[in-house]
Amino acid sequence: GKDVIVLDANLTTPSLGMHLGLPLYPVTIHDVLKGRANIKDAIYVHESGLRIVPAGISLRDMRGVDSKDLPNALLDLIGSTDIVILDASAGFGREALAAIEAADEIVIVTNPEISAVTDALKASKLSEQLGTKVTGVILNRVTGRDHEMSKKDILTMLDSVNILGEVPEDVKVQKSVANRTPVIRQFPNSDVSNKIMSIAASLVGEEYKFSSMPWYKKMFPFIR
């Protein structure tokens, strides 16, 4: 129910456009950073109503782009939408740092594994040093198996960082990626979609009512 723009801030290995089924665009964030276009010229509307600012996927697009210009490029979006989400790259390279500096808040997405949680802790500390508020951490691809870190251990390791929610491992996500459709659109009544929507609602201070598939459709999926 919010007016949202998602910007692909992963300038070297972008995937936002491909995940949404439209990999090629005439104007991208790369053109904006090169000074060839205004960022409003790079906004496209997905069939879901979501507005996106994609990145170019060719090697040519990467030439002449400096990620430190990202904060200035975002200025023209102020006041034009409710929420701007920067889909940042993993790691702590220049473009990831630029996205953190450009943001008011950071939501860290990690897996319940020791190496991933260690990186999440680094991201949290780095964001604090850069003056960006750490809203919390989302645990992704959770299976609940014995080899995973427990929520208690993760909280201990992350110190004072809040866990916003857990997204379960689900083959429906992989199917949605293959079909280039967000899982919450292809499988809106699934557990994984409900968890994602619940986390999204909590981020904007709203309550989310879980939707469920009627029992007869679960037992007889061929019924329409």
Side-chain angles (χ1 to χ4, degrees):
K2 301 294 182 183
D3 185 3
V4 180
I5 295 176
V6 181
L7 183 146
D8 197 336
N10 189 343
L11 302 177
T12 52
T13 55
S15 60
L16 180 63
M18 288 185 284
H19 279 273
L20 293 175
L22 296 168
L24 300 176
Y25 299 84
V27 182
T28 69
I29 187 63
H30 284 86
D31 296 305
V32 177
L33 295 175
K34 292 177 183 180
R36 297 175 180 172
N38 184 280
I39 195 166
K40 292 184 178 180
D41 299 325
I43 297 175
Y44 302 87
V45 182
H46 185 257
E47 60 183 9
S48 64
L50 176 71
R51 293 193 287 166
I52 64 174
V53 179
I57 60 175
S58 73
L59 291 175
R60 184 178 64 254
D61 291 320
M62 294 169 55
R63 298 192 186 104
V65 169
D66 195 334
S67 57
K68 68 178 179 59
D69 296 328
L70 182 62
N72 289 333
L74 296 174
L75 292 177
D76 287 331
L77 294 181
I78 295 176
S80 64
T81 186
D82 297 327
I83 299 169
V84 177
I85 298 176
L86 304 180
D87 181 16
S89 60
F92 306 101
R94 291 177 62 187
E95 59 191 84
L97 295 179
I100 294 174
E101 288 185 292
D104 296 319
E105 305 176 32
I106 180 173
V107 174
I108 302 169
V109 181
T110 189
N111 296 344
E113 304 164 358
I114 184 67
S115 57
V117 176
T118 300
D119 286 344
L121 178 61
K122 292 177 185 176
S124 172
K125 298 301 182 185
L126 181 60
S127 299
E128 292 175 357
Q129 292 176 16
L130 294 174
T132 302
K133 175 185 175 183
V134 181
T135 301
V137 170
I138 296 172
L139 299 180
N140 194 30
R141 308 191 71 167
V142 175
T143 67
R145 294 173 181 165
D146 293 340
H147 64 271
E148 290 182 345
M149 289 185 69
S150 68
K151 189 174 180 179
K152 179 181 178 181
D153 289 341
I154 293 172
L155 281 169
T156 300
M157 189 169 174
L158 293 178
D159 196 13
S160 59
V161 180
N162 182 39
I163 293 181
L164 302 172
E166 301 179 24
V167 179
E169 176 72 43
D170 195 323
V171 71
K172 292 184 180 68
V173 175
Q174 297 158 22
K175 290 180 179 178
S176 298
V177 170
N179 291 328
R180 295 176 294 178
T181 302
V183 66
I184 60 172
R185 283 180 62 79
Q186 185 167 3
F187 302 103
N189 297 318
S190 64
D191 183 43
V192 65
S193 293
N194 275 308
K195 292 291 177 61
I196 291 171
M197 292 297 293
S198 177
I199 294 170
S202 68
L203 286 171
V204 295
E206 296 187 4
E207 185 178 352
Y208 176 72
K209 294 183 178 180
F210 278 67
S211 59
S212 60
M213 185 182 296
W215 64 268
Y216 58 85
K217 285 193 175 182
K218 291 181 180 179
M219 293 183 66
F220 308 104
F222 53 86
I223 294 178
R224 294 289 180 267

